[in-house]
Amino acid sequence: MTTLPLRSRGRATAPTRSAGRARRVNWAVVGLMAPWALGFTVFFVYPLLANVYLSLTRYDLISPATWIGLDNWAFLFHDEALLTGVRNSAWILLVGVPVKLAFAFFVALLISRARRGAGLLRTVFYLPHLMPLVAAALAFVVLLNPSSGPVNTLLASVGIEGPLWFNDPQWAKPSLLLLDSWMVGNLMVIFLAAVLDVPQQLYEAADLDGAGKLRKLWHVTLPAVRPVLVFAAVTAAIDALQYFTQAYVVATSLSGGATTGAESLGYPNDSTLFFPVLLYKQGFRYFNMGYASVLALLLFAVSFCVAFVMLRRASRWASDM
């Protein structure tokens, strides 16, 4: 009877130990990812699938859901309010987001160049962001009151007739943008950190080449803070597509006795009827949860496409600078 040498037997067991160690590492990774996977399934996958199912039913939160197929989706082509909601949301996305980003970046540049009082300026511009959205919207309703508000009173004292602000369909969205621009403290802080992190050697090299302030901004500052700009633009765009609280508070507080119930949303004349407001109106005022689920899925798809396109364009923008 022959036996394997001791060295050969040791070599035969080494792969087994390596495989066992690899399995333990894999199970440890699975265990660490399990809480995230559970949360992702419960709070994203399941609601998404439930939304898809409800979009194919008639459901009013009281009676059991009734299967109606694609009728809710077909109603998209007959809903006159849909175009209004899309148009208003497109305005806040294409006009409001660039204005907010530009204003926040401009404030960050000013504070970064302040020789004294930079800490006080950061605090002053950041504090409005800490105010609850409902309280901020109600405060602006009072400030921009066309008859007794302090803004129009101040304008009248210098001979300027102030607009109707939130009560005028032409001024309602610009007034909301004014409110949002006042609350850009979070974007300002992010931009300020990015601007202050730009290496000073780059500015010194630009000075030696005779570059002015605008050329240094375009060729030094913006390329250096590009990742932060992309992050801020994507998050601001997603927030714009989900624009709801300010429009809801302003419309319901100003409509008063002029309109009641679901018709108060979008006041005045549907100028503040953004897409999420329309979704809320269909789901929780008309209790048409099937059609509201269709709108929610459409909003999700549009938000995903906008974020995807912006991220793809960001690399091309960087190469052109």
Side-chain angles (χ1 to χ4, degrees):
M1 182 176 179
T2 60
T3 60
L4 292 173
L6 182 60
R7 182 179 300 175
S8 299
R9 284 184 291 177
R11 289 178 179 176
T13 58
T16 304
R17 289 197 296 269
S18 299
R21 187 181 302 109
R23 282 195 296 269
R24 288 193 298 271
V25 171
N26 291 338
W27 279 112
V29 172
V30 170
L32 293 173
M33 293 186 63
W36 173 88
L38 179 62
F40 181 77
T41 302
V42 172
F43 297 108
F44 181 80
V45 176
Y46 170 73
L48 181 61
L49 295 178
N51 244 350
V52 173
Y53 169 73
L54 290 176
S55 69
L56 304 174
T57 66
R58 180 182 292 110
Y59 181 48
D60 59 1
L61 294 176
I62 300 176
S63 305
T66 304
W67 182 270
I68 59 173
L70 297 176
D71 289 355
N72 287 325
W73 291 91
F75 185 68
L76 280 173
F77 302 98
H78 305 283
D79 186 8
E80 297 179 358
L82 178 64
L83 183 60
T84 301
V86 171
R87 185 167 56 247
N88 290 331
S89 291
W91 188 94
I92 205 69
L93 174 65
L94 300 177
V95 177
V97 170
V99 170
K100 286 173 55 179
L101 293 177
F103 179 69
F105 191 74
F106 176 72
V107 173
L109 286 177
L110 290 182
I111 296 177
S112 67
R113 288 164 171 74
R115 297 181 178 272
R116 296 181 180 179
L120 178 61
L121 291 175
R122 285 198 303 266
T123 303
V124 169
F125 281 100
Y126 184 75
L127 277 178
H129 176 68
L130 300 179
M131 182 176 291
L133 286 176
V134 175
L138 291 176
F140 263 68
V141 168
V142 175
L143 290 173
L144 300 180
N145 187 296
S147 58
S148 60
V151 174
N152 275 12
T153 302
L154 181 61
L155 292 176
S157 65
V158 294
I160 300 176
E161 182 180 358
L164 297 179
W165 301 109
F166 292 119
N167 293 281
D168 186 349
Q170 301 297 325
W171 279 91
K173 287 190 287 292
S175 301
L176 288 173
L177 179 56
L178 185 63
L179 166 61
D180 293 338
S181 300
W182 180 66
M183 301 183 71
V184 293
N186 59 330
L187 293 176
M188 180 273 298
V189 170
I190 294 173
F191 288 151
L192 180 60
V195 169
L196 293 177
D197 197 45
V198 177
Q200 291 298 318
Q201 295 87 340
L202 298 179
Y203 291 116
E204 294 173 359
D207 289 333
L208 293 176
D209 292 336
K213 292 183 178 180
L214 290 180
R215 293 182 65 86
K216 285 191 290 185
L217 173 64
W218 184 256
H219 293 287
V220 177
T221 306
L222 289 179
V225 302
R226 182 189 62 84
V228 177
L229 289 175
V230 172
F231 167 79
V234 172
T235 55
I238 295 175
D239 289 341
L241 291 172
Q242 299 174 355
Y243 198 83
F244 174 79
T245 303
Q246 300 93 311
Y248 177 87
V249 172
V250 168
T252 53
S253 62
L254 286 177
S255 59
T259 54
T260 58
E263 302 307 320
S264 64
L265 298 179
Y267 178 86
N269 295 343
D270 288 341
S271 59
T272 59
L273 187 67
F274 298 97
F275 194 91
V277 178
L278 175 63
L279 192 159
Y280 173 86
K281 185 177 182 178
Q282 288 288 340
F284 297 99
R285 291 293 179 91
Y286 295 153
F287 298 103
N288 190 0
M289 294 302 298
Y291 184 59
S293 297
V294 172
L295 297 178
L297 291 172
L298 185 60
L299 179 61
F300 170 74
V302 171
S303 300
F304 178 83
C305 292
V306 168
F308 179 77
V309 170
M310 291 181 67
L311 291 174
R312 289 293 300 269
R313 290 284 183 179
S315 58
R316 183 178 301 177
W317 175 57
S319 62
D320 294 339
M321 295 188 65

